[in-house]
Amino acid sequence: MAIELRHLRYFIAVAEELHFGRAAERLNISQPPLSQQIQSLENSINAQLLERNNRNVKLTPAGNMFLEEAYQILAQVDAATTKAARMQKGELGEISIGFTSTTPFMPKITLSLRQFRERYPEVSIHMHQMNTKQQLSPLLTGRIDMGIMRNTQLPDNLESRLLFRESFVLAVYDGHPLLEYTEQGVKLEMLAGYPLVFFEREVGTALYDEIMTLLAQAGVTPMISQEAGEAMTILGLVSAGLGISVVTESFTRMKVDGVQYIPLADNYSFSEVWLVNHKNRPVSAAANRLTKLLISNILNEKNK
């Protein structure tokens, strides 16, 4: 006979009560079936667990050992049941997220991550910094569950959701002549002839493409004087007077001495931020909770 959890519960009741009648009443069953189940349990494990006569019921040494093991087994089952239910609700688990270098400077996203950590501390979040195009392969293979990235061409198996649009701004050094246009904004066509500090092509893939497209639409052939792989390095080079840079609004959260930001007057100059996941791979409940929180915070921000 296969041992079932009910056999363990029956045995624990008898072992704690040391009386078949009281145990049967506690289990809400009649006494003869209870006695039969205990006898079957003993036969199955080939060990006598209880000494009984008309007056007394006592645990044998094997029964004492089995009682402790039975407690542990039921405790493990209860714990597994609780964990499974909490994982189904998104209160436990792991989420692996790809993100671009500018993501930590996007307040809508950092707020959502902080709130999620406070609400669901037992969900492990693993963040992986990658540029937009570097995220595609891990999303396809399942190494990451979701990606926060810029507008790009996606493989057929990936799907995107627009989170928000970020305006482009111009980062210049103190005393730059374009600062006189701070109020009305700078048109992209006015950047012709100015040396630019730019992302390295292989690092800021999506931003590089977007900015190059905008400049081309404005008829500007960029004069790139310096390239850098990190956002802070770009701003540092701007501060040193080695050029100006077209960056997204999230860069303005980085306060660098000697760098000022000017809005662009072109109303079409913005970058899209996407949340991307695999179309056919199930999304965990925890990832769904994070997505809903992120969308909710973005909608609330829009409605302010």
Side-chain angles (χ1 to χ4, degrees), residues 41-298:
L41 175 63
E42 289 177 319
N43 291 338
S44 295
I45 63 176
N46 197 28
Q48 183 180 357
L49 303 176
L50 299 167
E51 292 181 359
R52 56 260 208 202
N53 54 41
N54 291 335
R55 295 185 178 181
N56 298 310
V57 175
K58 294 193 302 182
L59 285 167
T60 65
N64 274 307
M65 182 279 298
F66 192 80
L67 178 62
E68 294 303 317
E69 296 291 336
Y71 281 142
Q72 293 182 32
I73 290 169
L74 290 184
Q76 289 176 348
V77 170
D78 289 342
T81 301
T82 300
K83 285 183 178 179
R86 294 188 65 200
M87 184 166 286
Q88 180 69 26
K89 295 177 182 177
E91 298 173 357
L92 286 177
E94 296 184 355
I95 309 174
S96 185
I97 305 172
F99 69 100
T100 62
S101 60
T102 54
T103 300
F105 302 99
M106 299 174 184
K108 302 178 185 69
I109 293 175
T110 53
L111 171 64
S112 299
L113 289 172
R114 184 170 66 251
Q115 289 177 339
F116 188 86
R117 288 289 297 157
E118 291 170 352
R119 296 178 191 179
Y120 308 107
E122 294 182 76
V123 176
S124 298
I125 299 178
H126 306 286
M127 304 294 291
H128 305 274
Q129 182 177 329
M130 310 173 188
N131 68 43
T132 291
K133 292 184 180 177
Q134 287 172 341
Q135 293 185 41
L136 302 183
S137 177
L139 282 166
L140 289 170
T141 61
R143 181 185 164 213
I144 59 176
D145 302 307
M146 59 178 68
I148 300 170
M149 64 177 68
R150 304 280 178 179
N151 177 359
T152 193
Q153 184 68 38
L154 294 177
D156 290 341
N157 287 337
L158 299 183
E159 60 184 358
S160 66
R161 180 183 308 206
L162 174 63
L163 293 179
F164 53 87
R165 291 183 173 92
E166 262 200 309
S167 297
F168 281 106
V169 298
L170 189 66
V172 302
Y173 49 86
D174 284 343
H176 194 279
L178 289 176
L179 282 170
E180 66 175 287
Y181 298 96
T182 299
E183 292 297 324
Q184 65 268 45
V186 172
K187 289 185 175 294
L188 285 167
E189 62 192 43
M190 298 167 61
L191 304 187
Y194 286 108
L196 293 174
V197 179
F198 227 55
F199 273 111
E200 294 173 351
R201 178 65 182 84
E202 64 273 15
V203 176
T205 54
L207 277 180
Y208 184 101
D209 292 341
E210 287 180 333
I211 296 171
M212 281 297 190
T213 299
L214 286 173
L215 292 173
Q217 289 172 349
V220 175
T221 300
M223 186 173 66
I224 299 175
S225 62
Q226 300 287 331
E227 290 185 335
E230 295 292 335
M232 287 299 293
T233 305
I234 288 175
L235 296 180
L237 294 174
V238 171
S239 175
L242 298 179
I244 61 178
S245 187
V246 178
V247 296
T248 55
E249 191 176 5
S250 54
F251 275 66
T252 64
R253 298 190 74 201
M254 297 180 250
K255 306 303 179 184
V256 178
D257 289 343
V259 175
Q260 298 190 46
Y261 300 98
I262 308 172
L264 293 178
D266 309 87
N267 57 13
Y268 58 85
S269 56
F270 57 80
S271 175
E272 293 184 346
V273 178
W274 292 356
L275 185 66
V276 178
N277 59 270
H278 199 288
K279 284 182 181 178
N280 305 315
R281 186 175 295 111
V283 178
S284 70
N288 271 328
R289 279 189 181 271
L290 177 57
T291 299
K292 289 178 180 178
L293 177 60
L294 185 56
I295 299 301
S296 174
N297 283 338
I298 290 171

